Structures are given as C-alpha cells and as structure tokens.
Amino acid sequence: MPNRTKTAVATLVIGLALNIILGVAKLTVGILTDYASATSDALNNISDAAVSLVTIIATALAARRADKKHPFGHGRYEYIATLVVGAGVLAVGVEVFTGGLERTVTPVNAELGIALFATLGASVAVKAFMAVFYFIRGRKTGSDTIRAACFDSISDVAVTSVVICCALIQKYAEVNIDGYVSMAVAVVILIFAFGILKRTVSRLLGERPDRGQIDGVREIIRSFPEVVSVHDIIINDYGVANKIAEADAVFPAEMSFVAVHAVCDSIERAVYEKTGIRMSVHADPLVSDERQTKIQSLLDEILGGYGATAHDLVINDEQKTVELDIEMSDCDRIEGEIKQQVSARIKTVLPYDVIINVDY
C-alpha cells in the first residue's frame, strides 16, 4: 500500500474512533436530558463515523493497481467514497430537520445540567483538534475525502457551539428554542452535504484541471528548446494520485521523425518525474509559409488580449478555406465576438472562407 494511502487510512481510522466516542457520549446525554439539539448533534457524529468506515474501505480500494478490466487504476473509488459521505450527511440532515420540526410543534422541557454542557464543551475541543488534524493530513495526502472531513469537523465545531449557546439561553432565559436549534443544525448539515455532492459529481463528470497544474505541464514542455509552442493540454483525472495527460507540441517541420520522437519521449519522462502525471505528446509540424506567418501574427495580436491562443492553422488553396483552432479558458461568453474579429482580420490577408474550431 503506498505511503499516501497508508497516511489517509490511518487518518480516517483515528477520525472514525473519535466520532464514535463523541457520538455515543452526546447521544447518551441527549437521551438522558431529553434535549433534541444534543441528540441531533450526536446523530451527526454517528453518521460521520459510519461514513468514515465506508471511506476507509474505498480509500484502500483506490490504491489497488491497474488490472485488465481497469487499465487506468481504481483511483476514482475515493471520489465515490466522498459521494457516499455527502449522501450520508444529507440523510442525517433530513432526519435532524424532521425531529426539530416535531419539537417546535410539541416543545419538551429538557434537563440542562452540568453533564450536558461538559459533554458538548469537550466535543467542541475534540472537533477543533480533528479539523486541524484533517487539514494537515489533507494537505499531505491531497485527499478530497480528508478535506471533506476537515470541513465537516469545522461545521461540527460551529454547530455544537450554537447548541451550547442556545442551551444556555434556554436554561437561564427560560425560552424553549430546542426545536428551532435542531432545525438550524439541520440546515447547516444540509448545506454542507450539498456542497460535498456538487463537488464530487463535478469531478466524476470530469472538470477543468487546476490552472496551476496545466501551467506547470506547459512550462516543462516549453523548457525543451526544440519545442516551438504547445497547445491542447488535456489532463484526465482518474484519482488524486493518477492523472493522465496529453498535449500537442509544435516542432520545426525540418526536424527528422527520429529526433522529434526522442524529444517527445524526453518530455513525457520529465513531466512524470516532476508531476507524477503520465503524459502523451502529439507532435505538430511548423510549416514555413509567408501567409501562415502573417496570419499567425494577426491571431496572436487579436487573441492576446482575451487570454486565448490559436493553433493548427491550415490554408487549403483548393477549397479556398482557412481553418484553425482557438483555445479559450475564461472568455466563452464572448466567443462570437472573438470569432467575428478573427474571421474579419484573416480575410484582409487572404479572402478565403474561415473555419474556426473552439477548444475549452
């Protein structure tokens, strides 16, 4: 088992044990005092423990090597586990909200003694420790699941603190707000759950890689003097520790096939050694043509202000067309404006039909 996985599993096991202890303690006190807010908070911890158990299993499975049926490995098990975390937290939120709603209809006078406040206070301290612990381990492992557990612990600190404050108000001001507090706790839990689910579904669908990661790969490729330019960098996410990427690198057309192949191999090794990303490089030839050079210069001038780039420029004299790809990042809303400008400027150099393909 890789060190990253061992660290992640050990972290989650510690969190599992602490959540069980906190959940049982708060549930016992909540039942004995008949204070619904404490019971709701306890259910939150118990659900965290149950989800942690599922997550531990999934994290271990994610470390399995690639096999015949899964050539890209099993890294996405970790995302599935995070999805389970979100679903579990969502279910608890609904249950807590329902219980709080019942308490607003039929209020119950709870016994708010020292045991309740001591248990809740200890819970805040332990959860604060867990949040810091998860944060440090999450940065070390890069695990989305541990990051989710960190934010969950932070929300638990806030929720339990609110429960303590409201219990004090109820005890000394004699205002019964137990049901309303339970519903407020539920809302916090539900918001957190929706956040986890949204983030995880986005990753499973396939989202745009981190800009810093793309720029890092681009810089490595551009560091090779034979490479004129690079475009169409795609990074596929098969798990936190399993990224597979591809890119188009432009080489002078006069370079031999053997020389280009050797550089591509060197690039792929360099990217893997520096980032852990498995890279496949596609070579594009740069053909010297006066018209292409002039058009490319115009494109750089137009697109530079938008943070976009142009590549794969092809002039077809038989069909009288100019075709190119434009790579955009954050300017999709003005795609029409960019296309119009590019087409108009190209036609001042060459009166051909302009075909523009957009990459995001």
Side-chain angles (χ1 to χ4, degrees):
M1 186 181 290
N3 289 333
R4 173 189 174 274
T5 304
K6 289 180 181 178
T7 302
V9 170
T11 302
L12 294 169
V13 168
I14 293 171
L16 169 64
L18 290 174
N19 275 318
I20 290 174
I21 294 170
L22 290 177
V24 171
K26 284 193 280 189
L27 184 62
T28 301
V29 172
I31 292 173
L32 291 176
T33 61
D34 203 17
Y35 191 53
S37 299
T39 305
S40 300
D41 203 13
L43 289 175
N44 187 23
N45 288 134
I46 292 172
S47 72
D48 288 344
V51 170
S52 291
L53 182 60
V54 175
T55 303
I56 290 168
I57 297 171
T59 301
L61 289 173
R64 293 169 60 191
R65 293 182 178 180
D67 54 36
K68 186 176 181 180
K69 291 185 177 180
H70 307 93
F72 300 113
H74 301 77
R76 287 180 176 170
Y77 268 122
E78 196 166 337
Y79 298 157
I80 295 172
T82 308
L83 195 66
V84 172
V85 171
V89 175
L90 181 67
V92 171
V94 173
E95 180 64 27
V96 170
F97 188 87
T98 302
L101 186 60
E102 291 176 356
R103 280 298 178 101
T104 60
V105 177
T106 56
V108 175
N109 292 321
E111 295 293 331
L112 305 177
I114 188 67
L116 174 69
F117 291 107
T119 302
L120 294 178
S123 174
V124 170
V126 173
K127 275 295 183 176
F129 163 77
M130 290 175 66
V132 175
F133 179 64
Y134 282 139
F135 177 78
I136 295 172
R137 292 299 185 95
R139 291 190 65 178
K140 183 177 181 180
T141 62
S143 170
D144 275 2
T145 306
I146 294 179
R147 290 193 186 104
C150 173
F151 287 116
D152 184 37
S153 296
I154 293 171
S155 70
D156 285 348
V157 169
V159 166
T160 306
S161 298
V162 170
V163 171
I164 293 173
C165 292
C166 292
L168 289 170
I169 292 172
Q170 184 168 331
K171 182 177 179 63
Y172 294 106
E174 298 184 354
V175 179
N176 194 327
I177 54 175
D178 187 19
Y180 297 101
V181 175
S182 291
M183 292 171 66
V185 170
V187 170
V188 173
I189 295 172
L190 290 171
I191 291 173
F192 176 68
F194 280 119
I196 294 176
L197 293 172
K198 181 180 178 181
R199 168 66 173 161
T200 308
V201 169
S202 178
R203 297 201 69 164
L204 287 171
L205 288 175
E207 61 185 5
R208 182 183 295 278
D210 178 73
R211 173 52 61 182
Q213 196 173 54
I214 292 179
D215 290 342
V217 171
R218 189 190 305 277
E219 287 303 313
I220 295 171
I221 299 174
R222 290 296 303 270
S223 68
F224 286 78
E226 298 88 351
V227 176
V228 177
S229 64
V230 58
H231 56 267
D232 285 351
I233 298 176
I234 299 173
I235 301 177
N236 296 302
D237 187 347
Y238 290 95
V240 174
N242 188 15
K243 303 289 193 299
I244 300 175
E246 57 185 86
D248 288 5
V250 179
F251 295 87
E254 58 270 18
M255 280 185 67
S256 69
F257 177 81
V258 174
V260 171
H261 181 265
V263 176
C264 287
D265 279 349
S266 297
I267 291 172
E268 291 167 1
R269 284 194 297 271
V271 171
Y272 183 76
E273 290 170 0
K274 294 179 180 179
T275 68
I277 297 173
R278 288 185 286 168
M279 168 67 75
S280 176
V281 179
H282 171 76
D284 286 350
L286 178 63
V287 180
S288 297
D289 181 288
E290 184 178 345
R291 296 176 303 173
Q292 281 192 317
T293 302
K294 189 170 183 179
I295 291 174
Q296 188 65 53
S297 177
L298 287 174
L299 292 171
D300 292 342
E301 178 186 335
I302 297 169
L303 299 175
Y306 294 104
T309 57
H311 55 85
D312 290 342
L313 175 64
V314 177
I315 298 175
N316 189 320
D317 291 313
E318 290 184 4
Q319 298 183 7
K320 296 189 180 303
T321 60
V322 177
E323 186 169 0
L324 67 146
D325 291 353
I326 294 179
E327 185 174 343
M328 299 183 183
S329 55
D330 302 322
C331 48
D332 53 302
R333 293 183 179 179
I334 51 175
E335 177 183 326
E337 177 185 331
I338 293 175
K339 283 185 174 181
Q340 186 177 19
Q341 286 191 39
V342 167
S343 180
R345 291 294 293 276
I346 289 177
K347 287 181 179 180
T348 63
V349 177
L350 199 60
Y352 286 179
D353 290 333
V354 180
I355 303 171
I356 300 174
N357 304 308
V358 177
D359 300 328
Y360 291 103

